Amino acid sequence: LVMMTSASIEIASQQYNDPFFHLKRQLMFLSIGLVSGYAVLVTPMRLWYRGSVAWLALAYLVLIMVLVPGVGREVNGSTRWFRFAGISLQASEPAKLLILVFMAWFLSRHRDLVRNSIKGFLIPIALLGLPVMLLLLEPDFGAVVVLCVAVLGMMFLAGVKVYQFVIVGSAGVGCAWLLIVSSEYRLQRLLTFLQGLKDPFSEEVVYGSGYQLAQALIAFGRGEWLGVGLGNSIQKMYFLPEAHTDFVLAIIAEELGVVTVLVLMVMFFAFVGRAIVIARRNEHSGRLFAAYLGYGISFLFIGQVLINVAVNTGLLPTKGLTLPFLSYGGSSLIMCLVMTAMLIRIDIEHHQLMQPVVGARTL
């Protein structure tokens, strides 16, 4: 909250005449996320399991509805948001979790088919095709990448053969290349990225489509190891667009230094590491649905973190993905809290299962 507020205070003061506008809204989103997370925390995993097919259908419906004119809201050329009572919610955020719930159900229910037959590999890939197509129509290429990483990671841990991944991976690279060359803005981002690696402060990059990347690199450079001090960022003063959303990490690096960024990375990896431990414990105890869902959530988190960090540091082309828990955005924060609550619920049920049984009752 502190760093998001620091990154947004200038733009909030100018646009809304309230320097704490984004803080107030983020606190509102935090409250909604905590309530939603509590609801998930008290919901037994068997209810998620039983409704898996319905959750997939709901994910399809959400992604279709956002593309309907008059229903979805267009921002910066992308139609990704629903707007309710002055609040914008991104359709892909809940859809990703609902798809993971279904995939966990399929992998746990048809484990032998997944491990021993090509059908067990092709069926989930085919079911993933529609949401991928819908996300590309928004367009939201970043969400496609993160979702595919999570689903393929779940399938790999479920026992899918390596050669099948090689085939699909090769096909995926080919499709990604076609998507890039067939879209002018994606191709421009790739060319800008390559030019930025050659000379990150060339005139074409600094004053063209690579402006964000150049300004993010300047923020990292100004911050050095220990930063220029909390609130003392220059880049957030209209030099770095979207400083409080996609590029909040660059502001953290400028104000608190690269050391703080490294500490954040350790915290993220520790968080994901614990999530994987929870999933693995459930797999060993035979709770496969909970285990695969835990793996999927773990991959979703780490994929989004790594892509956001890579974009902020110039290792990947600019992509609109938030940094979990830190970036401004209601949909992202709410779903991060919901997924964390789901991980805790998975762990609670595992500990309940492992408790000694007295009579006919599990303590």
Side-chain angles (χ1 to χ4, degrees):
L1 286 172
V2 170
M3 290 313 304
M4 185 282 302
T5 304
S6 178
S8 65
I9 197 167
E10 294 296 332
I11 190 171
S13 181
Q14 177 67 25
Q15 292 187 356
Y16 304 102
N17 199 30
D18 180 2
F20 299 109
F21 173 83
H22 293 101
L23 172 62
K24 294 173 182 177
R25 290 180 66 86
Q26 194 77 340
L27 286 171
M28 178 183 64
F29 295 138
L30 176 62
S31 301
I32 296 173
L34 290 173
V35 172
S36 302
Y38 179 76
V40 170
L41 188 63
V42 298
T43 302
M45 294 306 299
R46 65 176 182 274
L47 297 183
W48 292 98
Y49 179 87
R50 293 172 181 172
S52 298
V53 176
W55 298 132
L56 179 65
L58 179 59
Y60 286 173
L61 179 62
V62 168
L63 294 176
I64 291 172
M65 290 300 295
V66 79
L67 295 173
V68 176
V71 178
R73 179 175 178 237
E74 182 177 337
V75 178
N76 296 329
S78 299
T79 308
R80 305 177 185 176
W81 291 269
F82 294 109
R83 189 165 183 84
F84 302 103
I87 300 176
S88 295
L89 298 175
Q90 193 166 346
S92 63
E93 292 293 340
K96 287 186 292 188
L97 178 59
L98 295 176
I99 292 169
L100 293 187
V101 171
F102 172 81
M103 291 298 173
W105 171 82
F106 181 88
L107 295 174
S108 61
R109 186 178 178 87
H110 304 284
R111 193 182 190 189
D112 292 336
L113 181 67
V114 170
R115 291 187 167 189
N116 302 316
S117 173
I118 189 66
K119 290 182 180 179
F121 181 76
L122 294 179
I123 291 174
I125 292 295
L127 293 172
L128 185 62
L130 179 59
V132 165
M133 181 184 68
L134 293 172
L135 287 169
L136 290 174
L137 290 175
E138 293 183 5
D140 193 349
F141 191 64
V144 170
V145 174
V146 172
L147 179 61
C148 289
V149 166
V151 171
L152 291 176
M154 294 168 67
M155 294 173 65
F156 180 78
L157 293 177
V160 170
K161 300 294 189 296
V162 175
Y163 79 88
Q164 296 173 346
F165 275 98
V166 173
I167 295 173
V168 171
S170 301
V173 170
C175 291
W177 176 252
L178 289 176
L179 288 171
I180 291 173
V181 298
S182 63
S183 173
E184 181 64 29
Y185 88 95
R186 292 195 190 104
L187 183 59
Q188 185 59 44
R189 282 190 172 184
L190 177 61
L191 294 176
T192 298
F193 167 69
L194 296 176
Q195 176 64 27
L197 291 179
K198 180 181 178 181
D199 182 2
F201 303 110
S202 66
E203 182 177 346
E204 292 82 357
V205 173
V206 173
Y207 298 105
S209 58
Y211 179 80
Q212 283 180 301
L213 171 59
Q215 297 302 322
L217 293 176
I218 291 173
F220 273 88
R222 288 195 73 246
E224 298 183 350
W225 288 106
L226 300 178
V228 297
L230 181 63
N232 293 329
S233 168
I234 297 297
Q235 296 307 106
K236 68 184 181 184
M237 296 182 180
Y238 305 100
F239 290 102
L240 179 58
E242 309 297 336
H244 57 301
T245 56
D246 303 340
F247 286 89
V248 69
L249 187 69
I251 303 303
I252 294 174
E254 185 181 6
E255 295 190 350
L256 303 182
V258 174
V259 170
T260 301
V261 173
L262 294 176
V263 171
L264 279 175
M265 293 304 100
V266 171
M267 294 173 67
F268 273 123
F269 280 111
F271 177 87
V272 173
R274 291 302 303 169
I276 292 175
V277 168
I278 290 172
R280 188 166 180 80
R281 286 175 178 171
N282 279 269
E283 185 178 11
H284 288 167
S285 63
R287 302 182 69 245
L288 297 181
F289 171 72
Y292 293 142
L293 182 55
Y295 285 135
I297 293 174
S298 304
F299 287 129
L300 206 62
F301 270 117
I302 198 61
Q304 193 152 332
V305 168
L306 291 178
I307 291 175
N308 183 275
V309 172
V311 167
N312 273 257
T313 54
L315 297 177
L316 284 177
T318 302
K319 194 77 230 121
L321 277 178
T322 56
L323 188 62
F325 299 109
L326 293 176
S327 294
Y328 172 77
S331 305
S332 176
L333 181 59
I334 291 170
M335 292 312 301
C336 283
L337 293 170
V338 165
M339 290 189 290
T340 303
M342 189 167 286
L343 287 170
I344 297 173
R345 179 69 198 186
I346 291 171
D347 195 40
I348 288 174
E349 291 193 6
H350 173 263
H351 283 292
Q352 290 175 343
L353 180 67
M354 294 295 102
Q355 289 294 325
V357 178
V358 179
R361 182 179 178 183
T362 302
L363 297 180

